């Protein structure tokens, strides 16, 4: 199966599960919240959404394994693995803030070759395949053309479970606040990356993320003409090594310079 054909099937699966999440959001009972750890929340919606996604993805690519946030399946594939966050922005969802998404990446060996991010509340579906460009609701998207950090809007995520580097993070945050048009925090790393790909934000940075938070977004940004790296732009893997900087490429060097002053 061609990647483009596979991607369309994933989009259809994602939208079906998105409809389930959207319906549950109308009457979600906060008493059903569970805690995986400090400020690390989960609900039956996360779990059921993941189960739905896994069941459907198994049918279209039976040989693939899975890396999932909720661990409903853990079997890894020899060549292909789906990397799934069934509800990225769970805290937003539970509080009724309409910014949450489904994120699905497909990894072939060690490379992400397909990514779909569905922003549920606003029915925006972002997708990309290796060498095929990036799209939102079937329209091509590209990173912004802004050349300087001083003209940029930056997005990030705040530490919420591991506060060991909070002081360092706040120094970086202060520097970006002073050297850009501002810093936003949406509460979904997948949406953050999709909006970099769409040209809304010039850059995104965060640490202590997981592969399922960023896998789909990494290929989206790259296929939209952007650049993704570790904090030090070394040979590490921003999907699995728990720190990421993504940008339109033009301001990437300046972003790394800011981080390097404190990290």
């Amino acid at each position: 199966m061609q990647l483009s054909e596979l991607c369309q099937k994933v989009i259809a699966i994602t939208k079906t599960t998105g409809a389930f999440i959207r319906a549950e959001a109308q009457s979600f009972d906060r008493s059903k919240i569970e805690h995986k750890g400090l400020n690390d929340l989960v609900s039956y919606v996360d779990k059921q959404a993941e189960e739905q996604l896994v069941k459907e993805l198994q049918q279209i690519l039976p040989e693939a394994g899975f890396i999932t946030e909720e661990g409903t399946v853990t079997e890894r594939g020899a060549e292909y693995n789906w990397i799934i966050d069934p509800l990225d922005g769970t805290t937003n969802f539970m509080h009724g803030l309409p910014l949450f998404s489904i994120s699905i990446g497909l990894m072939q060996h060690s490379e992400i070759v397909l990514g779909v991010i569905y922003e549920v509340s606003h029915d925006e579906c972002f997708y990309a395949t290796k060498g095929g460009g990036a799209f939102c609701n079937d329209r091509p998207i590209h990173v912004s053309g802004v050349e300087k950090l001083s003209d940029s809007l930056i997005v990030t995520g705040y530490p919420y479970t591991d506060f060991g580097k909070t002081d360092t993070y706040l120094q970086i945050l202060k520097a970006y606040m002073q050297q850009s048009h501002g810093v936003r925090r949406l509460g979904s790393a997948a949406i953050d990356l999709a909006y970099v790909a769409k040209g809304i934000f010039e850059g995104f940075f965060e640490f202590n993320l997981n592969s399922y938070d960023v896998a789909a977004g990494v290929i989206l940004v790259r296929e939209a003409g952007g650049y993704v790296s570790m904090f030090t732009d070394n040979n590490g893997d921003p999907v699995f090594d728990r720190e990421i900087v993504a940008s339109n490429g033009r301001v990437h060097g300046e972003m790394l310079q800011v981080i390097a002053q404190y990290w």
Side-chain angles (χ1 to χ4, degrees), residues 79-208:
E79 181 177 0
Y80 292 102
N81 284 282
W82 296 106
I83 306 178
I84 302 173
D85 191 333
L87 182 50
D88 189 51
T90 296
T91 302
N92 287 353
F93 171 84
M94 291 176 176
H95 285 269
L97 181 62
L99 277 172
F100 41 85
S101 62
I102 298 169
S103 178
I104 301 176
L106 178 63
M107 182 171 63
Q108 183 178 18
H109 298 301
S110 60
E111 182 181 17
I112 307 299
V113 296
L114 180 156
V116 175
I117 294 172
Y118 184 48
E119 202 287 294
V120 175
S121 298
H122 300 93
D123 192 28
E124 282 194 313
C125 189
F126 300 83
Y127 60 93
T129 55
K130 181 183 177 181
F135 299 83
C136 176
N137 290 351
D138 298 328
R139 295 185 177 182
I141 56 174
H142 305 280
V143 295
S144 82
V146 170
E147 298 284 348
K148 298 178 180 179
L149 181 60
S150 59
D151 296 324
S152 298
L153 186 62
I154 304 300
V155 66
T156 188
Y158 304 150
Y160 64 95
T161 57
D162 182 358
F163 299 102
K165 295 184 177 180
T166 301
D167 290 343
T168 300
Y169 171 82
L170 290 174
Q171 289 179 303
I172 296 171
L173 182 61
K174 179 180 178 181
Y176 279 134
M177 291 168 61
Q178 294 173 335
Q179 298 178 43
S180 71
H181 280 179
V183 181
R184 302 292 182 263
R185 202 277 196 180
L186 303 185
S188 166
I191 295 175
D192 295 339
L193 287 160
Y195 284 3
V196 171
K198 196 178 180 181
I200 295 172
F201 296 119
E202 277 65 50
F204 165 68
F205 77 99
E206 192 169 349
F207 68 94
N208 206 32

Side-chain angles (χ1 to χ4, degrees), residues 7-56:
C7 188
Q8 291 303 312
K9 292 180 180 293
V10 176
I11 289 169
I13 290 168
T14 305
K15 288 187 175 182
T16 298
T17 302
F20 161 72
I21 294 173
R22 191 160 46 243
E24 292 299 319
Q26 302 304 311
S27 57
F28 181 74
D29 181 355
R30 287 177 60 181
S31 69
K32 297 179 179 179
I33 295 173
E34 301 175 30
H35 292 260
K36 294 187 289 185
L38 177 65
N39 296 327
D40 194 2
L41 309 178
V42 66
S43 74
Y44 71 90
V45 179
D46 300 69
K47 295 175 181 178
Q48 290 184 25
E50 186 170 292
E51 289 171 354
Q52 289 181 24
L53 294 169
V54 167
K55 180 180 178 180
E56 297 297 326

